[in-house]
Amino acid sequence: MIKKSGISWYLHGTSRRTDIRYMSMEFWLHTVIPIQMEWEMGTSRRETLSGKSDILLFLIIAFYQDELQSEEIKKLFKDECCQVKDYVQKELESVFADKEKVPFQWEPDEDWETALELSLDKEEQREQFYVQGAVDSVYVTEEGFLIDTPNHVPKHDNFGQDLDQMYLWTKQSFEGDLYVEFDFKSIRPGGLALLMFQASGMQREDFMKEYPLRTNGSMSTVHSEDVRNYHWEFFREMNDTRNDVCSQVVLKNPWFRPLGFHCMETPLTRDEWHTLKLLQRGASIQCVIDDIIVLDLKDDGFGNNGPILSAGHLAIRCMVRTKMLFRNLKVMNRRNFEVIEEA
């Protein structure tokens, strides 16, 4: 038994340097923490209790010599789980096992206007963008904009000066409901690409015009500065994420509030074009890859995480190890206000 800081670890089973047959670890923790408990009364009423309480946690971690197959894991869960809720199970399978594939069928009506449309294969189209961070990472090719950031292990320094990672900002800002579409192609393994949208200052001002342009390529502009935005990580092959699936995440910043997470069943194929589509209508946000909705989200303007965001710039951000082509950018807007009179 190993005891440290109130946590007891019990190791048992057989263990050798090259052959771990089985090992389990059990620990207890007794403390006062905020909790939320849910229980059911009868068949239809559900009660929720929030507060602080003394709790006892008990966990067993088991290691196996061979990788467990899907059916084996399901059987273990069925045999060992003390309570299974169908609605929870359905959500888990949808999020982590990609069980529900819903096609994207939206078409714009006459209220939607095209605000920006670029093929991204012409040198003069560079002038539509500002590169923050790794300024030499963007190349114009016959296929589209190529972003190629240095191929080394990330520093994981969110606040220091970082000129190895980059943001490709639209100089144009957009207001109202938003539709974004572009194609992308991954050229080499690794990297991370995300889309920032509705990015403005904390008072909805245009931070790219009101303040000096930023030059640091670190992640801090996304989540730790005076820029409020949504960001969608649509390509994630970093060393701290799963690479056997294509995981997707959307957060609201600078509050760093998670809005949604999803795992596509398999990684995105390399050296093939994929189409990204984003549709925001008020509080509703839909994220689409190859015409399949991967995230269908609702923001909340009354959750102590800022208002529903509805104006600002767009940016494609690429971390180190990213080599990716982009083409056919299209942005559409629908006014979420009524124009009484135009000057």
Side-chain angles (χ1 to χ4, degrees):
M1 181 180 74
I2 305 171
K3 186 172 183 179
K4 184 177 181 180
S5 301
I7 299 178
S8 297
W9 296 86
Y10 296 86
L11 308 182
H12 57 81
T14 61
S15 175
R16 299 196 297 273
R17 284 186 302 173
T18 59
D19 183 15
I20 297 179
R21 297 287 182 181
Y22 173 84
M23 181 171 67
S24 71
M25 293 179 285
E26 305 170 5
F27 69 88
W28 58 266
L29 174 63
H30 186 258
T31 185
V32 179
I33 62 173
I35 63 169
Q36 186 173 48
M37 299 179 63
E38 181 182 275
W39 70 96
E40 295 183 1
M41 300 178 63
T43 58
S44 60
R45 185 182 175 195
R46 183 173 293 117
E47 300 288 344
T48 301
L49 171 67
S50 297
K52 293 185 177 181
S53 175
D54 289 333
I55 65 169
L56 180 67
L57 301 179
F58 183 80
L59 173 67
I60 296 177
I61 304 176
F63 294 83
Y64 297 86
Q65 181 180 8
D66 300 318
E67 180 182 357
L68 294 177
Q69 301 303 308
S70 177
E71 294 304 317
E72 294 177 292
I73 296 173
K74 289 179 182 178
K75 185 177 185 306
L76 284 171
F77 175 76
K78 182 178 179 181
D79 293 342
E80 298 176 7
C81 184
C82 59
Q83 185 183 47
V84 179
K85 296 181 178 180
D86 291 340
Y87 74 94
V88 174
Q89 191 65 16
K90 182 179 180 181
E91 182 177 354
L92 290 173
E93 290 180 355
S94 174
V95 171
F96 294 99
D98 201 22
K99 291 298 183 183
E100 294 185 11
K101 293 181 173 64
V102 180
F104 182 64
Q105 298 178 325
W106 176 82
E107 294 290 342
D109 59 26
E110 64 277 2
D111 293 332
W112 288 84
E113 298 177 354
T114 299
L116 182 65
E117 191 164 13
L118 299 169
S119 59
L120 302 183
D121 59 358
K122 297 177 175 60
E123 186 66 35
E124 59 267 24
Q125 293 180 359
R126 274 180 179 266
E127 298 303 315
Q128 302 282 340
F129 300 92
Y130 169 70
V131 179
Q132 174 183 334
V135 295
D136 297 327
S137 61
V138 182
Y139 307 86
V140 180
T141 74
E142 292 181 354
E143 289 191 89
F145 276 19
L146 172 65
I147 296 179
D148 186 2
T149 58
N151 190 16
H152 62 68
V153 177
K155 301 174 183 177
H156 292 296
D157 181 0
N158 286 331
F159 302 99
Q161 183 73 359
D162 189 337
L163 299 180
D164 291 340
Q165 307 183 84
M166 57 81 67
Y167 299 77
L168 183 69
W169 287 103
T170 60
K171 293 181 179 179
Q172 183 176 343
S173 61
F174 310 92
E175 185 173 14
D177 292 340
L178 181 69
Y179 174 76
V180 181
E181 177 181 328
F182 58 79
D183 301 326
F184 66 95
K185 183 202 298 188
S186 172
I187 305 299
R188 70 168 173 237
L192 185 147
L194 62 85
L195 174 66
M196 292 176 69
F197 56 103
Q198 307 289 28
S200 70
M202 296 303 292
Q203 306 301 323
R204 209 170 183 260
E205 72 274 26
D206 189 330
F207 72 98
M208 293 183 67
K209 292 182 178 179
E210 299 289 337
Y211 313 120
L213 291 172
R214 298 161 201 242
T215 58
N216 190 358
S218 80
M219 191 75 173
S220 61
T221 301
V222 176
H223 59 64
S224 301
E225 297 180 13
D226 54 349
V227 177
R228 61 187 194 184
N229 67 88
Y230 300 108
H231 92 262
W232 168 20
E233 298 180 9
F234 60 89
F235 181 85
R236 309 171 82 225
E237 289 191 0
M238 299 300 286
N239 57 353
D240 56 354
T241 62
R242 288 182 62 182
N243 284 194
D244 60 324
V245 297
C246 178
S247 60
Q248 311 274 325
V249 64
V250 173
L251 295 100
K252 184 180 182 180
N253 304 296
W255 304 274
F256 212 54
R257 177 178 182 264
L259 293 182
F261 177 84
H262 181 77
C263 288
M264 298 173 65
E265 192 172 9
T266 56
L268 292 172
T269 51
R270 210 168 317 283
D271 294 317
E272 292 184 14
W273 287 105
H274 300 277
T275 301
L276 174 148
K277 297 177 181 178
L278 169 89
L279 177 63
Q280 180 190 356
R281 292 172 291 183
S284 171
I285 300 173
Q286 290 182 310
C287 302
V288 180
I289 299 290
D290 294 335
D291 285 323
I292 298 296
I293 299 174
V294 295
L295 285 165
D296 196 349
L297 313 171
K298 290 284 187 183
D299 190 15
D300 180 4
F302 300 94
N304 200 30
N305 292 285
I308 294 169
L309 308 182
S310 60
H313 294 268
L314 299 174
I316 294 173
R317 180 178 190 270
C318 292
M319 294 180 65
V320 293
R321 300 174 58 211
T322 305
K323 188 173 184 180
M324 191 172 288
L325 280 162
F326 298 88
R327 70 180 185 189
N328 298 335
L329 171 65
K330 184 176 184 178
V331 183
M332 301 184 75
N333 266 146
R334 181 177 66 177
R335 292 173 173 172
N336 54 7
F337 54 88
E338 181 182 353
V339 178
I340 299 175
E341 181 179 350
E342 293 191 10

